[in-house]
Amino acid sequence: MSARGDAVLLDTLRGIVGRRHVLTDDKRTRRFRKGQRFGEGPVLAVVQPGTLVEQWRVLQAAVAADVIVIMQAANTGLTGGSTPDGEDYERPVLLISTLRLTGVQLINDGAQVVCLPGATLDALERALAPLGREPHSVIGSSCIGASVLGGVCNNSGGALVRRGPAYTELALYAQLGADGVLRLVNHLGIALGEDPEDMLTRLQAGCYTAADIVNDPTRAASDHTYAAHVRQVDAATPARFNADPTRLHDASGSAGRLALFAVRLDTFPKEDTVVFYVGSNAPDDLTAVRRHLLTALPSLPVAGEYIHRDAYDIGERYGKDTFLLIDRLGTARVPRAFALKSRVDACFERLGLHGVSDRALQRLAGLLPPHLPRRMSEFRARFEHHLLIRVARDSAEATASFLRAYFATREGDWFQCDVEEGRKAFLHRFAIAGAAIRYRQVHRDRVEDIVALDIALRRDDRDWVETLPADLDDQLIAKLYYGHFFCHVFHQDYIARKGSDPLAIEHAMWKRLDARGAEYPAEHNVGHLYRAKPALAAFYRQLDPTNRFNPGIGQTPRGRGWM
């Protein structure tokens, strides 16, 4: 598009959303066009619609101007899937930020919820708390302000064993057809009328009644099959991964190939739970625990999180401030703290100074007393492998009886956590997730970069502990292994030495994973980091036949018509 065409489009957008909500200055657009861990590129503008009707009109203007559209909510992804990637797009990029479009509407007495594009998991969790219910994900992405719709678009997983990936077949979205026409598609299961702007106005205002809500048992608002699926511990395939064709449907797994206006999701009863802490130096012990608890308990475990001792140590040191922030202030204030940190980093980076806030926070955290429970620290000294198990109260005695009998003749050990120990054990597991990033920022002189993989092993894979060849291992400063053990989904963060080639390391890891029958990514989606496998690429092409929405995702073609 010409400079004149750019100017005309920008004027049109300012007329739709107001001048202050069309950002073009590089300083103001930085936090939108730069990913958390990966991905960055220039944009023509960042547009922030304040109503669903404004979002619809912005989309219409973008289609008429023949620009690329990238939809973005909270920008908390780790693979660059909601930001531009480089400068080699053949058309200008318009980034539509939905952060102003907050809204959570409880329906069916709170058993389901309708979420608008800017709704966050944290806000949803707070809305459901008085009802004794929970969203799909808790204490994870919610802590950094991740959006509900972002989780659905990416088939995001999570720590809760029974719930599987974020999934729904009920959504309201705009789709650009092969004929170049933008259409509003209502698969939300709520009668809103026929005119797009009237429909969107009614939805945002919640102007519909119980009679307008269709409860069709053939259209799911969560993955009802996963609980049975994950119990199949002898299956030679992974339990869940982003490219699973059985979990790609409209909005679910769409990765920005559609422009979402709302999704409808199930909510879940909040349970009374008990936490057990297991330690062992023999991986087979943890395998035996996983297989038994998935198949023999009265109800499925709620969560089962693995931590390797090296990840424990780096998380204890480099995730301490994150732990303390959530421990002392709760999750509600964390998104604001992360946003403030981003602004501070941006100011220093303009002066050529990187990692200033991380180094300051790290130094401050080092002055504070130890923060982990004594029994956890004792197990860290004794054992290499750690497993955190959360079960419903009705399964607590059966779990304790099994652990007591199993470890009576083995070196490993276990204990039942009190409430504070259980809470802090799972909070430490969450804090580990950002520890490698902090390590990189603090030790830039030693670290080339992080190679971060999230992988799904076969459900029958008993050889889950990785052993790397010397030529790969020598290029790494540290390896962090942690993950959702009962789902056999692992996060593997490799801190690469200065002078190494992280991309070559990553490709070498992929070859090893392919040989093991693993799938990747498991829950962070392909972004611009991974290559979309054929089924996923075909799904993207079906959703976006003209290749206008988020082109290049999954290393697919970026040109018009998928050229």
Side-chain angles (χ1 to χ4, degrees):
M1 191 163 65
S2 66
R4 176 174 174 78
D6 290 351
V8 170
L9 174 59
L10 292 175
D11 283 344
T12 301
L13 296 173
R14 292 179 183 118
I16 296 170
V17 303
R19 183 170 295 274
R20 64 178 294 199
H21 298 301
V22 179
L23 314 179
T24 57
D25 181 78
D26 283 351
K27 295 177 183 178
R28 299 184 68 197
T29 62
R30 175 193 179 274
R31 72 186 182 100
F32 301 97
R33 56 184 175 78
K34 181 179 175 65
Q36 286 278 331
R37 182 185 283 174
F38 181 85
E40 181 178 9
V43 296
L44 173 65
V46 173
V47 186
Q48 301 171 301
T51 68
L52 296 181
V53 169
E54 287 183 2
Q55 178 173 306
W56 172 250
R57 292 174 179 173
V58 167
L59 288 166
Q60 288 179 311
V63 169
D66 191 29
V67 297
I68 286 168
V69 173
I70 296 179
M71 301 295 299
Q72 182 189 96
N75 192 20
T76 58
L78 300 180
T79 58
S82 60
T83 63
D85 180 52
E87 302 181 12
D88 57 337
Y89 293 91
E90 65 176 14
R91 294 161 283 176
V93 174
L94 183 69
L95 194 153
I96 301 177
S97 169
T98 64
L99 289 176
R100 297 176 63 210
L101 298 173
T102 58
V104 170
Q105 301 172 1
L106 304 181
I107 62 173
N108 293 334
D109 298 322
Q112 289 188 324
V113 64
V114 173
C115 292
L116 302 189
T120 64
L121 281 165
D122 172 66
L124 177 55
E125 191 172 350
R126 285 185 278 116
L128 292 172
L131 304 179
R133 300 187 73 84
E134 293 179 329
H136 168 269
S137 299
V138 295
I139 192 65
S141 297
S142 57
C143 293
I144 56 174
S147 71
V148 177
L149 273 67
V152 172
C153 286
N154 293 308
N155 283 139
S156 297
L160 302 177
V161 178
R162 306 173 187 179
R163 300 179 191 175
Y167 181 79
T168 186
E169 296 170 1
L170 302 167
L172 179 69
Y173 56 87
Q175 183 174 31
L176 186 62
D179 56 2
V181 176
L182 188 72
R183 296 176 176 86
L184 188 65
V185 180
N186 185 5
H187 288 169
L188 198 58
I190 300 176
L192 297 168
E194 298 297 331
D195 178 75
E197 294 200 0
D198 288 346
M199 293 168 64
L200 296 172
T201 299
R202 286 186 61 192
L203 176 63
Q204 186 156 13
C207 290
Y208 54 87
T209 68
D212 296 317
I213 300 171
V214 178
N215 294 309
D216 182 350
T218 67
R219 299 183 71 85
S222 64
D223 188 346
H224 301 307
T225 66
Y226 188 74
H229 187 70
V230 75
R231 284 187 185 272
Q232 297 169 16
V233 295
D234 290 315
T237 56
R240 57 177 169 91
F241 56 98
N242 290 134
D244 185 348
T246 65
R247 296 184 175 94
L248 300 175
H249 184 96
D250 287 355
S252 298
S254 59
R257 292 295 189 169
L258 301 171
L260 299 190
F261 288 88
V263 297
R264 178 174 161 186
L265 297 164
D266 290 331
T267 67
F268 304 88
K270 190 171 185 177
E271 294 186 89
D272 182 22
T273 61
V274 177
V275 174
F276 296 89
Y277 199 105
V278 173
S280 180
N281 292 315
D284 287 348
D285 285 344
L286 270 59
T287 297
V289 170
R290 169 182 172 267
R291 292 173 64 84
H292 178 85
L293 296 187
L294 284 179
T295 58
L297 286 187
S299 58
L300 266 178
V302 174
E305 295 292 292
Y306 169 74
I307 306 173
H308 185 271
R309 180 159 53 194
D310 292 346
Y312 184 110
D313 291 346
I314 288 181
E316 180 178 21
R317 182 172 179 183
Y318 293 95
K320 185 175 182 178
D321 58 301
T322 298
F323 179 104
L324 293 173
L325 174 66
I326 300 172
D327 186 44
R328 304 295 167 82
L329 300 180
T331 60
R333 299 187 185 182
V334 175
R336 187 174 299 175
F338 273 81
L340 174 61
K341 179 180 179 297
S342 178
R343 289 195 292 270
V344 170
D345 287 339
C347 291
F348 280 108
E349 285 177 11
R350 289 198 290 271
L351 301 174
L353 301 173
H354 295 270
V356 172
S357 67
D358 285 285
R359 288 194 293 274
L361 289 169
Q362 190 60 34
R363 190 166 294 138
L364 176 63
L367 300 175
L368 300 175
H371 60 290
L372 296 180
R374 175 185 56 81
R375 287 201 287 183
M376 283 177 59
S377 299
E378 290 174 353
F379 265 48
R380 179 264 160 227
R382 293 172 58 192
F383 302 117
E384 180 180 2
H385 304 287
H386 299 239
L387 180 60
L388 287 54
I389 305 168
R390 185 185 298 277
V391 299
R393 179 71 62 179
D394 66 4
S395 295
E397 182 52 42
T399 302
S401 296
F402 169 74
L403 294 175
R404 190 179 300 114
Y406 182 83
F407 285 108
T409 57
R410 288 170 174 79
E411 178 192 359
D413 203 353
W414 65 281
F415 63 88
Q416 182 173 327
C417 298
D418 61 32
V419 173
E420 277 296 285
E421 286 174 325
R423 185 178 65 83
K424 290 184 175 181
F426 275 88
L427 182 50
H428 178 53
R429 158 62 187 87
F430 168 72
I432 290 170
I437 299 174
R438 170 61 58 78
Y439 189 101
R440 177 185 63 186
Q441 295 296 85
V442 173
H443 300 291
R444 283 182 168 271
D445 58 328
R446 299 173 52 200
V447 177
E448 186 65 33
D449 207 344
I450 301 166
V451 176
L453 302 180
D454 63 297
I455 69 168
L457 296 183
R458 302 187 326 269
R459 283 167 284 174
D460 66 347
D461 192 344
R462 296 171 182 258
D463 188 21
W464 52 270
V465 176
E466 182 177 67
T467 302
L468 295 177
D471 63 325
L472 268 178
D473 203 45
D474 290 346
Q475 299 180 64
L476 306 174
I477 295 173
K479 306 181 290 290
L480 281 68
Y481 298 105
Y482 55 99
H484 315 308
F485 190 67
F486 287 167
C487 298
H488 248 201
V489 167
F490 292 84
H491 299 289
Q492 301 182 173
D493 295 342
Y494 306 96
I495 302 176
R497 294 186 188 279
K498 200 74 173 178
S500 63
D501 183 347
L503 189 59
I505 293 172
E506 183 166 37
H507 289 177
M509 299 295 186
W510 291 355
K511 290 181 181 178
R512 296 176 58 81
L513 292 171
D514 289 340
R516 298 174 65 185
E519 291 282 353
Y520 52 89
E523 59 183 14
H524 290 158
N525 218 333
V526 290
H528 290 284
L529 194 59
Y530 298 90
R531 184 179 299 278
K533 293 188 175 180
L536 185 59
F539 179 63
Y540 291 161
R541 190 162 186 160
Q542 171 196 335
L543 296 181
D544 183 23
T546 68
N547 205 26
R548 186 79 63 83
F549 288 79
N550 213 3
I553 199 81
Q555 301 180 20
T556 55
R558 299 190 179 197
R560 286 181 178 85
W562 293 80
M563 298 294 292

